[in-house]
Every structure is written in structure tokens, then in C-alpha cells.
Amino acid sequence: SDLTTGISSCMSKAFDTAFDGAAECVGQIIGFIFGPLMIFLGPVMVLISLGIIALLSYTFFIIVLPMLAPQGIISGDGILHISIVLGILMNVLYNYYMCCMVKNVDVGPKYDAVVKNLALATGFAYPETDKDVEQFRLDYARTMKERARKKREDENAARKDRCEVNEWPDVDHKSQATALRRRPSGNTNNDASGMSSINAKTTPAPRPSRIPPWMLLEPQEWGYCTKSNKPKPPRSHYDAVTKCLILNMDHYCPWTFNAVGYFNYRYFVTFILHVFLGMIYALCIGYAPFYNRSGPLYDKQIQLSRDAGHPATQHMIPFVPTPEERLTLVVTYVLVILTFLGVGFLFWFHLHLVLSAQTTIEERGNKERRRQAERDGKEWNNPYSVGWKQNWKLVFGSRHPLLAIWPSSREPEFLPLPINGKLVRRGRHTFARNMRESAV
């Protein structure tokens, strides 16, 4: 019925709001407790990552490859599989190294060049002196205070309107009468106040939430970072671990001991892409040896080796491991399955972010914006999205997609956000021409 649908919709929205609030609280607690520990755990996580890569490589070259190419590594099958593994391994190691080493610091000529170009593109008068910075900070604080007050007033007004409504929208009189008959006997009056009471229960308004200051800014509007005491470019956030203001910050990754943002996001996505492809390949070539780790074929191979007079079990049956290889094979294959599931989910999530022009931080904020727009009966669209093809170019550049994911040390080709619905290239020689084109 319409009543049941309305109640389900309200419960779903209430659950989403509660879940996001709990997630924010847990995230703050984790950040407070474990944030400082990341400085010490980072190198350990990097060593663990390299250890996993080494274990997978060892299992392939020492255990699995002889099963795939019994004629030798210089045979056709051996060269084919070695080429595939080396190609994936080269991409994984290179992009992992770059993701770890390319820093998103808020100082230096590289950062300054991007920020100054972005300020010019967005029409922002970047403060040059300490006095100008202080004046901008005061103006920003006043603006945010006023916008936060206006936001609270709008939310309170919306809550009041929802609580005072006297009719049930999208619910027919038959459903209303049925609901009234099901009320407790001690409260059976059918007056308007009773109707409003039921309606208030079936359409609960969400409590006003604390809106981060960056969600009160316009898409191309600059803010002020109170942690770094610098003007805050659009889409940038302060990272509590690296103590830097990060352009297009996505998240802090303990596995790379680095913050993932504007300058190394392409390396991060390309890294998890090739890890995901490597796990698919490992699942395929390792399934038969893993399946034959026990059973009739495994027992038969042991018996055949004994009958042939070998002191240790030999490879007598294709794709059947020996007792010495079994433990390593099992541990590696289980690790492959877990990595495939974890990195697979991570890759598809970040592919969605790339094609929709979002960061992990923005994706969460955009959910709240979309819910707010739905409550107001409006439609919300991501202001940074210029179509999935252009969104891809914003991260990977204008090269062919197959070449864009190949190892390269090139820096981002475009500014961190589109201007007037178009991507703007970086660089002193091309910036003015791109600005003229974007204004057309």
C-alpha cells in the first residue's frame, strides 16, 4: 500500500542518515587514535605489500610456471606466461613506487604553479602578503558563519513544515482510515490533530546535521584552511597525517604511506587496476593446482613417484602439486582470493569515482547533497562532472586509454577542476589559450 511504501521510504532515509552519522563518528575516533600511528606503521605496511608481491612472484615462477610450461620456460607456453606476468608485475611495481614517492605537499614550485593557475582560472585574487591572508581569513570566517546560520534556519523551517502538515501526501483516504482503525483504543479520536500526529510519525524529519564548511562553498569558490593557514583551493582538504593541504584529496592510504590526491591519483588507480588484473590471472592459472592439492590425483602422484624409485615426490601428473609445494600454494591462493575481493571492490569504486568526477571525500558529501535536493523536490548534479569521457581525461589525460594506463611519470595534464564546463590544461604557454577557449 501507499502507506507502507511511505513508511519504508522514511525508514530507509532515516537509516542512511544514522549510518552516515555513525560512520563520521567512527572515522573521527579512528583518526584521533590511529592517525599518529600511521607515521610509524606506514613503512611496515609498505614492507608487507612488497612481501605479498614477492610471495606471489615466487609461487608463480617456482611452483606454477613449471606446471604451465613442462617443456621449459623458453617454450611457447613459458614465454607467453612469463611475458604476461612480467608486464603486470612491471606496472604494479612502477605505479606502487610512484604512488608512494610522489607527494602532494602544499609547498614547492609544482604546487604553487597549479594553485596560481587555478586562482587565475577561477577569478580568485590570491593573497600574496600576510596582511592579505589575514583579511581573507576574517572574510571567510564571517561568510561561513552567516551561511551556517542560514543553513540551520532553512533546515529548522523545513522540519517545522513537515511536522505541521495536516494532510498525508500520496496516501488515499482508505489507507488513512485503515491506519486510524489500527491505532490503540486509548487514542481513537479522528480529529485533525490526531491525523497530524500520525503523519508526523510516518514522515520523520532528519535532525539537522553538522555540515562541513567545504560543503557550504560554491564549486569554484575558495576557502581557508585553518590548519595550514593558507587559502584553500576548491576540492582540496587538509590531511591530518601528512600535515598538508592536498589538492583533490581522495584519502590517506597506509599501504602507500602517502596521501592520495591530485598529483598521484592516476598512479593509485593504475596500481589497483593492474593488481586486480593480476589477481584475475592468478585465479585462472592457479585453480587447477589448488583444486588438486588433495584427492585421488594427489595420492596417485605420490604413489607413482614411489613406484619409480624417486626419494621425493615428482611432478608425474599435470597440475598436481607435490607435498613440499602444497602449503605455499594453498596460502598463496587464499591470499589471491582475498586480494581479488578487496582490491576488486576498491578498483570498481574508484573507477566509478573517476568516471563521475568525484573523490572519496566528495562522494560522501554528494550523497548528502542529493538527499537534501530530494527532500526539497529538486534535482542535484555534480558540478565537476563534464561527461564520463572528459572525467576520465581529468585524471588520465588526453592519451588513448590503453596508453594512459601504461607506466609514465607525466604530471596531471589538466587543472584539478573544469572551468565553465571545460577542462583547462596546465602550463604557462597553453594556459591563456585554454582560458579563452573555455570562455567561449
Side-chain angles (χ1 to χ4, degrees), residues 2-14 158-171 194-207 375:
D2 294 335
L3 178 61
T4 303
T5 302
I7 293 175
S8 299
S9 176
C10 290
M11 291 180 63
S12 176
K13 292 179 180 179
R159 293 174 63 217
K160 184 177 180 181
D161 291 341
R162 292 189 186 97
C163 292
E164 291 181 353
V165 66
N166 293 322
E167 294 182 359
W168 290 4
D170 302 326
V171 179
M195 191 75 70
S196 299
S197 176
I198 295 177
N199 185 56
K201 293 180 181 179
T202 56
T203 57
R207 297 176 59 186
R375 289 195 292 265

Side-chain angles (χ1 to χ4, degrees), residues 206-396:
R207 297 176 59 186
S209 56
R210 178 186 176 275
I211 303 298
W214 66 269
M215 291 185 63
L216 298 174
L217 296 170
E218 296 298 323
Q220 296 183 13
E221 187 177 9
W222 287 59
Y224 183 84
C225 178
T226 58
K227 302 292 181 62
S228 61
N229 296 318
K230 292 182 178 182
K232 185 172 178 289
R235 307 190 73 184
S236 64
H237 298 276
Y238 182 81
D239 176 42
V241 179
T242 60
K243 309 297 183 183
C244 291
L245 185 62
I246 310 297
L247 293 172
N248 285 26
M249 180 175 175
D250 190 88
H251 67 286
Y252 178 84
C253 179
W255 294 100
T256 62
F257 192 36
N258 198 6
V260 178
Y262 176 69
F263 290 106
N264 64 350
Y265 186 57
R266 176 177 65 86
Y267 299 120
F268 176 78
V269 177
T270 309
F271 166 68
I272 59 177
L273 164 64
H274 286 94
V275 171
F276 180 60
L277 294 177
M279 294 306 100
I280 293 177
Y281 176 77
L283 286 173
C284 295
I285 64 173
Y287 175 75
F290 178 75
Y291 180 80
N292 294 325
R293 70 192 185 280
S294 61
L297 291 180
Y298 179 79
D299 296 335
K300 183 179 180 180
Q301 179 170 260
I302 294 176
Q303 186 60 44
L304 290 175
S305 297
R306 291 174 179 173
D307 295 342
H310 296 294
T313 304
Q314 303 296 313
H315 288 284
M316 311 293 289
I317 303 176
F319 299 105
V320 177
T322 64
E324 294 77 14
E325 299 169 340
R326 186 166 65 165
L327 178 60
T328 303
L329 185 65
V330 170
V331 171
T332 303
Y333 200 77
V334 171
L335 184 60
V336 166
I337 295 174
L338 296 177
T339 306
F340 169 78
L341 295 175
V343 176
F345 170 79
L346 188 65
F347 167 68
W348 288 111
F349 174 69
H350 279 278
L351 181 62
H352 160 70
L353 295 182
V354 169
L355 299 181
S356 59
Q358 301 180 95
T359 64
T360 299
I361 298 174
E362 292 170 349
E363 194 265 348
R364 182 180 171 189
N366 291 342
K367 283 184 178 179
E368 176 58 31
R369 289 190 174 108
R370 193 170 289 108
R371 282 197 293 264
Q372 182 63 46
E374 291 177 355
R375 289 195 292 265
D376 297 338
K378 301 177 182 178
E379 182 180 357
W380 183 87
N381 294 309
N382 181 12
Y384 301 129
S385 178
V386 287
W388 67 270
K389 291 183 179 180
Q390 296 299 309
N391 295 341
W392 169 275
K393 290 182 179 180
L394 183 62
V395 176
F396 286 91

